Amino acid sequence: SPTPPDHLAGPALEEWGRVVAEMVRLGIMSRLDRSVRAAYCQAYGRWVAAETALARMAERDAVTAGLVIRTKAGNAIQNPLVGAANKAMADMVRYAAEFGMTPSARTRVSALEEGADNPFAIFDDW
């Protein structure tokens, strides 16, 4: 099981522990996947941070639930946190699909069963 990179913290590190343990159990995780898995977890952490900040703003804004803010000029615009949350969520889903973590992606991902013949064994001596 690969160890998490030092820069992961908070929800990103928690997500690492949750998904890596399951992926190792399923036989679909290797050390080569470490950086892409870290990118997924970092996107997850950013998504959680943005959604948490939006929720705090929503508590003080009964009209738009924090989704809209006013500029210094008084114009109403989409809260930049909405864009940050959406971008992080899209990145997270894209990375998740690479690892078979979405319903449609799971149909395309499989691991070698224990004791099964490895079709790549011919390359072991190289």
Side-chain angles (χ1 to χ4, degrees):
S1 178
T3 58
D6 292 337
H7 68 274
L8 291 183
L13 185 58
E14 291 171 19
E15 183 70 352
W16 176 279
R18 185 184 76 82
V19 298
V20 169
E22 184 65 14
M23 294 178 71
V24 167
R25 186 185 72 76
L26 293 171
I28 57 172
M29 179 76 183
S30 79
R31 286 183 178 84
L32 292 174
D33 303 325
R34 184 176 186 254
S35 60
V36 178
R37 173 57 54 216
Y40 160 81
C41 292
Q42 193 70 6
Y44 175 83
R46 287 184 180 142
W47 176 62
V48 169
E51 291 294 343
T52 301
L54 281 168
R56 281 195 308 269
M57 292 181 83
E59 291 173 359
R60 299 185 311 265
D61 180 4
V63 176
T64 69
L67 300 177
V68 175
I69 62 170
R70 297 247 176 227
T71 65
K72 289 181 182 179
N75 299 319
I77 63 167
Q78 176 181 285
N79 186 333
L81 286 170
V82 173
N86 288 341
K87 172 75 167 98
M89 183 173 41
D91 288 347
M92 185 178 63
V93 170
R94 184 170 39 88
Y95 291 125
E98 290 291 324
F99 289 99
M101 294 171 57
T102 64
S104 64
R106 268 193 298 279
T107 64
R108 298 184 303 269
V109 174
S110 63
L112 287 176
E113 292 185 25
E114 201 165 318
D117 288 336
N118 182 351
F120 300 104
I122 61 170
F123 300 111
D124 285 348
D125 293 332
W126 290 12

Short mmCIF file of all heavy atoms in Angstrom, two decimals, residues 4-5 7-20 23 29 33-48 88 91-92 95-96 99 101:
data_model
loop_
_atom_site.label_atom_id
_atom_site.label_comp_id
_atom_site.label_asym_id
_atom_site.label_seq_id
_atom_site.Cartn_x
_atom_site.Cartn_y
_atom_site.Cartn_z
N PRO A 4 0.83 8.05 1.74
CA PRO A 4 0.36 9.32 1.19
C PRO A 4 1.50 10.34 1.11
O PRO A 4 2.41 10.32 1.95
CB PRO A 4 -0.71 9.77 2.18
CG PRO A 4 -0.35 9.10 3.46
CD PRO A 4 0.29 7.80 3.07
N PRO A 5 1.45 11.23 0.15
CA PRO A 5 2.45 12.31 0.09
C PRO A 5 2.31 13.22 1.31
O PRO A 5 1.22 13.36 1.87
CB PRO A 5 2.09 13.08 -1.19
CG PRO A 5 1.21 12.16 -1.97
CD PRO A 5 0.54 11.26 -0.99
N HIS A 7 2.19 16.37 1.54
CA HIS A 7 1.38 17.58 1.40
C HIS A 7 -0.12 17.34 1.60
O HIS A 7 -0.87 18.30 1.72
CB HIS A 7 1.61 18.23 0.03
CG HIS A 7 1.10 17.44 -1.12
ND1 HIS A 7 1.84 16.44 -1.72
CD2 HIS A 7 -0.08 17.48 -1.77
CE1 HIS A 7 1.13 15.91 -2.70
NE2 HIS A 7 -0.04 16.51 -2.74
N LEU A 8 -0.54 16.10 1.67
CA LEU A 8 -1.96 15.84 1.92
C LEU A 8 -2.28 16.05 3.40
O LEU A 8 -1.54 15.60 4.26
CB LEU A 8 -2.34 14.41 1.52
CG LEU A 8 -2.33 14.07 0.04
CD1 LEU A 8 -2.80 12.65 -0.18
CD2 LEU A 8 -3.17 15.04 -0.78
N ALA A 9 -3.38 16.74 3.66
CA ALA A 9 -3.79 17.00 5.05
C ALA A 9 -5.30 17.08 5.11
O ALA A 9 -5.98 17.22 4.08
CB ALA A 9 -3.17 18.31 5.53
N GLY A 10 -5.83 16.99 6.30
CA GLY A 10 -7.27 17.16 6.52
C GLY A 10 -8.09 16.16 5.73
O GLY A 10 -7.76 14.97 5.66
N PRO A 11 -9.16 16.65 5.11
CA PRO A 11 -10.05 15.75 4.35
C PRO A 11 -9.34 15.01 3.21
O PRO A 11 -9.69 13.87 2.92
CB PRO A 11 -11.12 16.70 3.79
CG PRO A 11 -11.14 17.84 4.74
CD PRO A 11 -9.71 18.01 5.20
N ALA A 12 -8.32 15.62 2.60
CA ALA A 12 -7.59 14.95 1.52
C ALA A 12 -6.86 13.72 2.05
O ALA A 12 -6.88 12.65 1.44
CB ALA A 12 -6.60 15.91 0.86
N LEU A 13 -6.26 13.85 3.22
CA LEU A 13 -5.55 12.72 3.83
C LEU A 13 -6.53 11.65 4.30
O LEU A 13 -6.27 10.45 4.14
CB LEU A 13 -4.68 13.21 4.99
CG LEU A 13 -3.79 12.17 5.65
CD1 LEU A 13 -2.83 11.53 4.65
CD2 LEU A 13 -3.02 12.81 6.80
N GLU A 14 -7.66 12.07 4.84
CA GLU A 14 -8.69 11.11 5.24
C GLU A 14 -9.21 10.33 4.04
O GLU A 14 -9.43 9.11 4.13
CB GLU A 14 -9.85 11.84 5.92
CG GLU A 14 -9.50 12.41 7.27
CD GLU A 14 -10.59 13.30 7.82
OE1 GLU A 14 -11.75 13.21 7.37
OE2 GLU A 14 -10.29 14.12 8.71
N GLU A 15 -9.40 11.02 2.93
CA GLU A 15 -9.88 10.34 1.72
C GLU A 15 -8.84 9.36 1.22
O GLU A 15 -9.18 8.27 0.75
CB GLU A 15 -10.23 11.38 0.64
CG GLU A 15 -10.80 10.80 -0.62
CD GLU A 15 -12.21 10.22 -0.49
OE1 GLU A 15 -12.75 10.12 0.62
OE2 GLU A 15 -12.77 9.85 -1.54
N TRP A 16 -7.57 9.72 1.32
CA TRP A 16 -6.49 8.79 0.95
C TRP A 16 -6.65 7.48 1.72
O TRP A 16 -6.65 6.40 1.15
CB TRP A 16 -5.12 9.41 1.24
CG TRP A 16 -3.98 8.48 0.97
CD1 TRP A 16 -3.51 7.49 1.78
CD2 TRP A 16 -3.20 8.42 -0.22
NE1 TRP A 16 -2.47 6.83 1.19
CE2 TRP A 16 -2.25 7.38 -0.03
CE3 TRP A 16 -3.17 9.15 -1.40
CZ2 TRP A 16 -1.30 7.06 -1.01
CZ3 TRP A 16 -2.23 8.83 -2.36
CH2 TRP A 16 -1.31 7.79 -2.16
N GLY A 17 -6.78 7.59 3.02
CA GLY A 17 -6.92 6.39 3.84
C GLY A 17 -8.13 5.57 3.47
O GLY A 17 -8.08 4.34 3.45
N ARG A 18 -9.23 6.25 3.18
CA ARG A 18 -10.47 5.54 2.84
C ARG A 18 -10.36 4.80 1.52
O ARG A 18 -10.64 3.61 1.45
CB ARG A 18 -11.63 6.53 2.77
CG ARG A 18 -12.98 5.88 2.54
CD ARG A 18 -14.07 6.93 2.37
NE ARG A 18 -14.03 7.55 1.06
CZ ARG A 18 -14.58 7.02 -0.04
NH1 ARG A 18 -15.19 5.85 0.01
NH2 ARG A 18 -14.50 7.65 -1.20
N VAL A 19 -9.90 5.47 0.47
CA VAL A 19 -9.93 4.84 -0.85
C VAL A 19 -8.75 3.91 -1.10
O VAL A 19 -8.91 2.89 -1.76
CB VAL A 19 -10.06 5.88 -1.99
CG1 VAL A 19 -11.35 6.64 -1.89
CG2 VAL A 19 -8.89 6.83 -2.03
N VAL A 20 -7.57 4.25 -0.60
CA VAL A 20 -6.41 3.40 -0.86
C VAL A 20 -6.59 2.04 -0.21
O VAL A 20 -6.30 1.01 -0.82
CB VAL A 20 -5.10 4.09 -0.43
CG1 VAL A 20 -3.94 3.11 -0.45
CG2 VAL A 20 -4.81 5.27 -1.35
N MET A 23 -8.91 0.10 -2.40
CA MET A 23 -8.33 -0.25 -3.69
C MET A 23 -7.28 -1.35 -3.56
O MET A 23 -7.18 -2.22 -4.42
CB MET A 23 -7.76 0.99 -4.36
CG MET A 23 -8.85 1.97 -4.74
SD MET A 23 -8.18 3.45 -5.46
CE MET A 23 -7.65 2.80 -7.03
N MET A 29 -4.68 -1.20 -6.96
CA MET A 29 -3.82 -0.08 -6.57
C MET A 29 -2.39 -0.54 -6.55
O MET A 29 -2.08 -1.63 -6.05
CB MET A 29 -4.24 0.42 -5.19
CG MET A 29 -3.42 1.56 -4.65
SD MET A 29 -3.86 3.10 -5.46
CE MET A 29 -2.70 4.21 -4.71
N ASP A 33 0.46 4.31 -8.90
CA ASP A 33 -0.74 5.14 -8.89
C ASP A 33 -0.69 6.25 -7.86
O ASP A 33 -1.64 7.03 -7.74
CB ASP A 33 -1.97 4.26 -8.60
CG ASP A 33 -2.13 3.13 -9.58
OD1 ASP A 33 -1.80 3.33 -10.77
OD2 ASP A 33 -2.58 2.05 -9.18
N ARG A 34 0.39 6.35 -7.12
CA ARG A 34 0.45 7.26 -5.98
C ARG A 34 0.16 8.72 -6.34
O ARG A 34 -0.65 9.37 -5.69
CB ARG A 34 1.83 7.16 -5.33
CG ARG A 34 1.98 7.99 -4.06
CD ARG A 34 3.37 7.73 -3.44
NE ARG A 34 3.51 8.39 -2.17
CZ ARG A 34 4.26 9.47 -1.99
NH1 ARG A 34 4.91 10.01 -3.01
NH2 ARG A 34 4.35 10.02 -0.80
N SER A 35 0.79 9.25 -7.37
CA SER A 35 0.61 10.68 -7.67
C SER A 35 -0.79 10.98 -8.20
O SER A 35 -1.37 12.01 -7.85
CB SER A 35 1.68 11.17 -8.65
OG SER A 35 1.61 10.45 -9.86
N VAL A 36 -1.33 10.11 -9.01
CA VAL A 36 -2.69 10.33 -9.51
C VAL A 36 -3.70 10.19 -8.38
O VAL A 36 -4.66 10.96 -8.28
CB VAL A 36 -3.02 9.38 -10.69
CG1 VAL A 36 -4.44 9.59 -11.17
CG2 VAL A 36 -2.04 9.60 -11.82
N ARG A 37 -3.47 9.24 -7.50
CA ARG A 37 -4.35 9.09 -6.34
C ARG A 37 -4.26 10.33 -5.46
O ARG A 37 -5.25 10.81 -4.94
CB ARG A 37 -3.96 7.84 -5.54
CG ARG A 37 -4.69 7.68 -4.24
CD ARG A 37 -6.19 7.63 -4.34
NE ARG A 37 -6.59 6.62 -5.27
CZ ARG A 37 -7.63 6.74 -6.09
NH1 ARG A 37 -8.39 7.80 -6.06
NH2 ARG A 37 -7.93 5.79 -6.94
N ALA A 38 -3.05 10.87 -5.29
CA ALA A 38 -2.88 12.09 -4.50
C ALA A 38 -3.62 13.26 -5.14
O ALA A 38 -4.24 14.07 -4.44
CB ALA A 38 -1.40 12.42 -4.34
N ALA A 39 -3.59 13.34 -6.46
CA ALA A 39 -4.31 14.41 -7.16
C ALA A 39 -5.82 14.28 -6.92
O ALA A 39 -6.51 15.28 -6.68
CB ALA A 39 -4.00 14.37 -8.66
N TYR A 40 -6.33 13.06 -6.96
CA TYR A 40 -7.74 12.82 -6.66
C TYR A 40 -8.05 13.30 -5.24
O TYR A 40 -9.03 14.02 -5.00
CB TYR A 40 -8.10 11.34 -6.80
CG TYR A 40 -9.37 10.98 -6.06
CD1 TYR A 40 -10.62 11.25 -6.62
CD2 TYR A 40 -9.32 10.45 -4.77
CE1 TYR A 40 -11.78 10.98 -5.91
CE2 TYR A 40 -10.47 10.17 -4.07
CZ TYR A 40 -11.70 10.43 -4.64
OH TYR A 40 -12.85 10.18 -3.94
N CYS A 41 -7.23 12.90 -4.27
CA CYS A 41 -7.48 13.25 -2.87
C CYS A 41 -7.37 14.76 -2.65
O CYS A 41 -8.15 15.33 -1.89
CB CYS A 41 -6.51 12.50 -1.96
SG CYS A 41 -6.80 10.72 -1.93
N GLN A 42 -6.43 15.40 -3.33
CA GLN A 42 -6.29 16.86 -3.20
C GLN A 42 -7.53 17.55 -3.77
O GLN A 42 -8.03 18.50 -3.17
CB GLN A 42 -5.03 17.34 -3.91
CG GLN A 42 -4.65 18.75 -3.58
CD GLN A 42 -4.15 18.92 -2.16
OE1 GLN A 42 -3.97 17.96 -1.41
NE2 GLN A 42 -3.96 20.14 -1.76
N ALA A 43 -8.03 17.07 -4.90
CA ALA A 43 -9.26 17.63 -5.47
C ALA A 43 -10.43 17.43 -4.51
O ALA A 43 -11.25 18.32 -4.31
CB ALA A 43 -9.56 17.00 -6.83
N TYR A 44 -10.48 16.26 -3.88
CA TYR A 44 -11.52 15.99 -2.89
C TYR A 44 -11.41 16.99 -1.73
O TYR A 44 -12.41 17.57 -1.30
CB TYR A 44 -11.40 14.55 -2.38
CG TYR A 44 -12.37 14.25 -1.27
CD1 TYR A 44 -13.67 13.89 -1.53
CD2 TYR A 44 -11.97 14.35 0.07
CE1 TYR A 44 -14.57 13.63 -0.50
CE2 TYR A 44 -12.85 14.09 1.10
CZ TYR A 44 -14.15 13.73 0.80
OH TYR A 44 -15.04 13.48 1.83
N GLY A 45 -10.20 17.20 -1.24
CA GLY A 45 -9.99 18.13 -0.14
C GLY A 45 -10.41 19.55 -0.50
O GLY A 45 -11.01 20.26 0.32
N ARG A 46 -10.10 19.98 -1.71
CA ARG A 46 -10.50 21.32 -2.16
C ARG A 46 -12.02 21.42 -2.29
O ARG A 46 -12.61 22.45 -1.96
CB ARG A 46 -9.83 21.65 -3.48
CG ARG A 46 -8.37 21.93 -3.30
CD ARG A 46 -7.69 22.37 -4.57
NE ARG A 46 -6.29 22.62 -4.28
CZ ARG A 46 -5.31 22.31 -5.09
NH1 ARG A 46 -5.56 21.79 -6.27
NH2 ARG A 46 -4.06 22.56 -4.74
N TRP A 47 -12.63 20.37 -2.78
CA TRP A 47 -14.09 20.35 -2.90
C TRP A 47 -14.74 20.48 -1.52
O TRP A 47 -15.65 21.28 -1.32
CB TRP A 47 -14.52 19.07 -3.61
CG TRP A 47 -15.98 18.88 -3.73
CD1 TRP A 47 -16.87 19.67 -4.40
CD2 TRP A 47 -16.75 17.81 -3.16
NE1 TRP A 47 -18.14 19.15 -4.28
CE2 TRP A 47 -18.09 18.01 -3.53
CE3 TRP A 47 -16.43 16.70 -2.39
CZ2 TRP A 47 -19.11 17.15 -3.14
CZ3 TRP A 47 -17.43 15.83 -2.02
CH2 TRP A 47 -18.76 16.06 -2.40
N VAL A 48 -14.25 19.71 -0.56
CA VAL A 48 -14.78 19.77 0.80
C VAL A 48 -14.59 21.18 1.38
O VAL A 48 -15.50 21.74 1.99
CB VAL A 48 -14.12 18.71 1.71
CG1 VAL A 48 -14.46 18.94 3.17
CG2 VAL A 48 -14.54 17.32 1.28
N ALA A 88 -13.17 21.62 -8.55
CA ALA A 88 -12.60 20.53 -7.75
C ALA A 88 -13.44 19.26 -7.89
O ALA A 88 -12.89 18.16 -8.02
CB ALA A 88 -12.51 20.94 -6.28
N ASP A 91 -12.72 17.71 -11.30
CA ASP A 91 -11.41 17.05 -11.27
C ASP A 91 -11.48 15.74 -10.51
O ASP A 91 -10.95 14.72 -10.94
CB ASP A 91 -10.36 17.96 -10.61
CG ASP A 91 -9.97 19.14 -11.47
OD1 ASP A 91 -10.29 19.15 -12.68
OD2 ASP A 91 -9.34 20.07 -10.92
N MET A 92 -12.16 15.77 -9.37
CA MET A 92 -12.29 14.58 -8.54
C MET A 92 -12.98 13.45 -9.30
O MET A 92 -12.51 12.31 -9.29
CB MET A 92 -13.08 14.94 -7.28
CG MET A 92 -13.20 13.86 -6.27
SD MET A 92 -14.11 14.42 -4.82
CE MET A 92 -15.71 14.78 -5.51
N TYR A 95 -10.60 12.02 -12.01
CA TYR A 95 -9.60 11.11 -11.42
C TYR A 95 -10.26 9.83 -10.93
O TYR A 95 -9.71 8.73 -11.08
CB TYR A 95 -8.87 11.78 -10.25
CG TYR A 95 -7.95 12.90 -10.64
CD1 TYR A 95 -8.08 14.17 -10.07
CD2 TYR A 95 -6.93 12.71 -11.57
CE1 TYR A 95 -7.22 15.20 -10.42
CE2 TYR A 95 -6.08 13.74 -11.93
CZ TYR A 95 -6.22 14.98 -11.34
OH TYR A 95 -5.38 16.00 -11.68
N ALA A 96 -11.43 9.94 -10.33
CA ALA A 96 -12.13 8.76 -9.81
C ALA A 96 -12.43 7.77 -10.93
O ALA A 96 -12.32 6.56 -10.74
CB ALA A 96 -13.43 9.19 -9.11
N PHE A 99 -9.77 5.26 -11.80
CA PHE A 99 -9.59 4.15 -10.86
C PHE A 99 -10.82 3.28 -10.72
O PHE A 99 -10.90 2.46 -9.80
CB PHE A 99 -9.18 4.68 -9.49
CG PHE A 99 -7.78 5.23 -9.46
CD1 PHE A 99 -7.55 6.59 -9.57
CD2 PHE A 99 -6.69 4.38 -9.34
CE1 PHE A 99 -6.26 7.10 -9.54
CE2 PHE A 99 -5.40 4.88 -9.31
CZ PHE A 99 -5.18 6.25 -9.41
N MET A 101 -13.86 4.25 -9.90
CA MET A 101 -14.63 4.66 -8.74
C MET A 101 -15.99 5.27 -9.09
O MET A 101 -16.65 5.82 -8.22
CB MET A 101 -13.81 5.64 -7.90
CG MET A 101 -12.60 5.00 -7.28
SD MET A 101 -11.47 6.18 -6.50
CE MET A 101 -12.52 6.99 -5.32
#
